[in-house]
Every structure is written in C-alpha cells, then in structure tokens.
Amino acid sequence: MPFILQLLIDYGYLAVFIGCLLEGETILVLAGFACHHGHLSVPVTLAVAVFGATLGDQLFYWIGRYRGAALLARLPSLAQRAERVAASLKRYDGLVVMGVRFVYGLRIAGPIAIGAMQMPPRRFAVFNLLGAMLWAPLIASVGYLFGSALEALIGDVERIELIGTVVIVGIALAIALVRRWRRSRATVR
C-alpha cells in the first residue's frame, strides 16, 4: 500500500487537511479512493479539503502581498511561473484565482504572484473559496469514481507517472513548436 494512502488511513482528515493546505491533488485523489472504500466520509473529506485548500492559498496570497517581490527575486523558477499568472490576471482576475489551483506548478506560485500584484484581499478570498469549492469535488471524484481502476494501477504509479510526464512534455513541446512556427510565418508576411 502506498505511503500516502497509508497516511490517509492512519491520520484521515488531518492528512487531507495538511495535503490540501500545501499542494493537494495527490492526497485528494487518494482521499476519494479512501472514501470509495469506506475509510473516510465523502462530505467531511470535501469540507476538510475545501477548508485546507482555501486556507493554504490565503496564506500564500498574504506571503505574496507582504514578501512577494523579495521572494520572486530570490527564486527565479517561481518568478517565471508568477509572470504567467500576472499576464492573465490583468484580464481575468477572478477566473485566474479560481483556475490557478487546477494548473500544476502554479498552486503555490499563483497565490504568491496574485498577492504580490496587490489584488484586493476580499476579492481574492471570494474567488479563492469558489475555486476550492469547485476543485475539491472534481479532484476527489477522480479517486472515488475510479477507485477500483486506481487500485489496480497503484503498483504501477511510478511507471505511469513517467509515461504521463513524457506525454505531457511531448505535447507541450509540440504546441510550443507549432506556436513558434506560426509566429515566424506571421512575421515573414
């Protein structure tokens, strides 16, 4: 049995809370799986996940609000992710706050960047809560609905992660190359 799943069985909702406070996807999928097998309650798991995810993003927002510029200057990889968030935030601030938790790699950088750009705290809090209320049931349902399939795959998680990473990187590279090619054609004209 994987370590994280064993943590969920041993520590239940505390593990869900701490996992969702930080990143959350893996722990929440496995929490859905634990719900499927009767180890956790679905409504309590979702409530704890929403609370943990909302609180975590609020903390990262306030870190960004007070220390964002210094933090981004010290961590170049975080700064690059923050630039992507900043570009979208100017046009679609509420949607960005809600959606940033769905984008791998932006779960922590997104709220820090949003805080650093001084988005009003109340506006952030409302959209953050709405985003968590969408995110928790969607992610947990993956583990719940595909519980038996996940159980069969648990032994192959490392192999599947590697294959998935290669596929995602390949698709991202193909998209980047197509965009570059289109831009170069547009400049030639």
Side-chain angles (χ1 to χ4, degrees), residues 118-170:
Q118 304 295 312
M119 181 180 195
R122 194 172 301 157
R123 186 164 178 80
F124 178 81
V126 167
F127 284 109
N128 182 31
L129 178 60
L130 290 172
M133 291 171 73
L134 289 172
W135 174 81
L138 285 173
I139 301 301
S141 69
V142 171
Y144 188 86
L145 296 174
F146 300 106
S148 57
L150 187 61
E151 192 171 40
L153 295 175
I154 279 180
D156 295 331
V157 167
E158 288 180 10
R159 183 177 61 82
I160 291 169
E161 281 180 347
L162 177 62
I163 292 169
T165 301
V166 168
V167 168
I168 290 169
V169 167

Side-chain angles (χ1 to χ4, degrees), residues 51-114:
F51 181 68
T54 301
L55 181 62
D57 283 5
Q58 285 298 137
L59 291 172
F60 293 124
Y61 167 83
W62 286 106
I63 289 169
R65 190 141 171 108
Y66 289 108
R67 296 298 225 185
L71 192 58
L72 294 175
R74 237 183 306 159
L75 301 170
S77 66
L78 187 63
Q80 289 174 341
R81 293 179 188 148
E83 287 175 23
R84 291 186 357 209
V85 174
S88 300
L89 190 64
K90 290 177 184 172
R91 295 181 87 187
Y92 312 104
D93 64 347
L95 291 175
V96 169
V97 172
M98 289 172 51
V100 77
R101 74 180 60 253
F102 290 95
V103 180
Y104 181 77
L106 293 181
R107 178 74 194 282
I108 294 172
I112 290 173
I114 294 166

